[in-house]
Structures are given as structure tokens and as C-alpha cells.
Amino acid sequence: MMLIEETTLPDAALPVDRFKAHLRLGTGFDELSLQDGILSGFLRAAIAAIEARTGKVLIVRDFSLTLSAWRNPEGQVLPVAPVNSVAQVTLEDAGGARVVVNPDAYRLERDSQRPRLRPRGACLPAVPAGGSVSIGFSAGMAADWGALPADLGQAVMLLAAHYYEYRDTTALGEGCMPFGVSSLIQRYRVSRITLGAGS
């Protein structure tokens, strides 16, 4: 399985000014904007960490998922949520020839935890031997920062501030996540309990 982020968050989508206010950085200095690149980097790192912990995409972006076979031909679970739309499903054979699957052959089953690509018939189209299938889709909880749930937005600010404050520290444990951030994102984390391979 290979998940690729096809579009990235533009700098304009990042709440740099809010982050400056959160950090209580001084204002009125000509040099203030010199830190924008650094602050954007910490925001991106915090967003990536929270998305990895929760399995949720915060701001809408495009992705592609490539598989060598369906995990379950009756419904393929997509690795992130929420998925808003499936743009295209493409089959590729061992020789590299590609065929776009008719959209009438599948549908998106929306779910806040485990969205799925479902067949409209009995099974999803067969993946060619030695080939692959690629699913292009859009996922994200909000179109922009202002539409993001307040607790997730606060979690990003807290974690980015943590990265900023401890930017010169190398002794933090692997996977370190401040308690306040962990509490804010807890309800968004994906349950690991499954009922089988296709669940």
C-alpha cells in the first residue's frame, strides 16, 4: 500500500498570525515577518503529527492510494478520514497499461472513522495479476482553518508551540506528545478494534 499526498497545504492556509498571537510574540517590529517560514514549519509539523495520531486529515487535500490487491473485494477501507469524494479509480496491468474504472462500478461509503470504497455490484473490479489499482480521492475535515473544529485547532497551536519552545532540545522521548494535546485529540483517534480483514 502506498498513500501519496497529491496536494499540499499552501502557506496562505496556515494560521501564522494566530500562531504568533498564541506565542505572544511582540508586534510592531520590522523583523517580525522573518520568522514566518519557521513558524509555518512548526505548524506543518504539528498538523502532520496530529493527522498521524488521529488518522484524520484536518484541511482538505487530494490523495492517491495504490494497492497491489484489494484487502477485501467487497469493500476497501481507505487509510484516512473523512473522505469527501473519490475522483478516479485506475487499474494498471503488469505491462503498465492503464484503464480508468467506470464510476458506476463503485461508490464511496462515508464514515468518520473508516470510509470505504464499495462496489455497486458484488465485488470491486479485479486487479490485474502483477498489476495495481490506484484510487484518487479528496479528504479533509475542513476546507480552511476557520472551519476546523475548535479543539483540533487548539491542539495544533499547542503542539506547534511545544515544538517552538523546545526547538533546541534533543532529549525528548520518541513520539512525545504534550498531555493537553493528547486530551484534545483523544476523541478523534481511530478505534483499532476490527471485526475482520474487511472491517
Side-chain angles (χ1 to χ4, degrees), residues 81-186:
V83 173
N84 303 313
S85 63
V86 174
Q88 186 170 282
V89 177
T90 306
L91 298 172
E92 183 173 340
D93 66 21
R98 296 182 177 183
V99 175
V100 176
V101 177
N102 188 325
D104 293 336
Y106 59 84
R107 64 183 176 84
L108 171 63
E109 181 179 278
R110 297 174 187 273
D111 187 274
S112 65
Q113 297 290 336
R114 299 172 66 80
R116 292 169 178 81
L117 186 72
R118 292 281 195 191
R120 291 196 182 274
C123 294
L124 292 165
V127 179
S132 63
V133 59
S134 179
I135 306 163
F137 61 92
S138 170
M141 300 184 75
D144 55 44
W145 186 263
L148 197 65
D151 50 358
L152 285 175
Q154 182 67 9
V156 170
M157 291 292 176
L158 289 174
L159 186 56
H162 179 78
Y163 291 158
Y164 180 83
E165 293 296 331
Y166 294 95
R167 59 193 177 278
D168 297 321
T169 301
T170 58
L172 293 176
E174 185 177 344
C176 177
M177 184 76 69
F179 174 74
V181 176
S182 298
S183 298
L184 287 168
I185 67 174
Q186 182 60 40

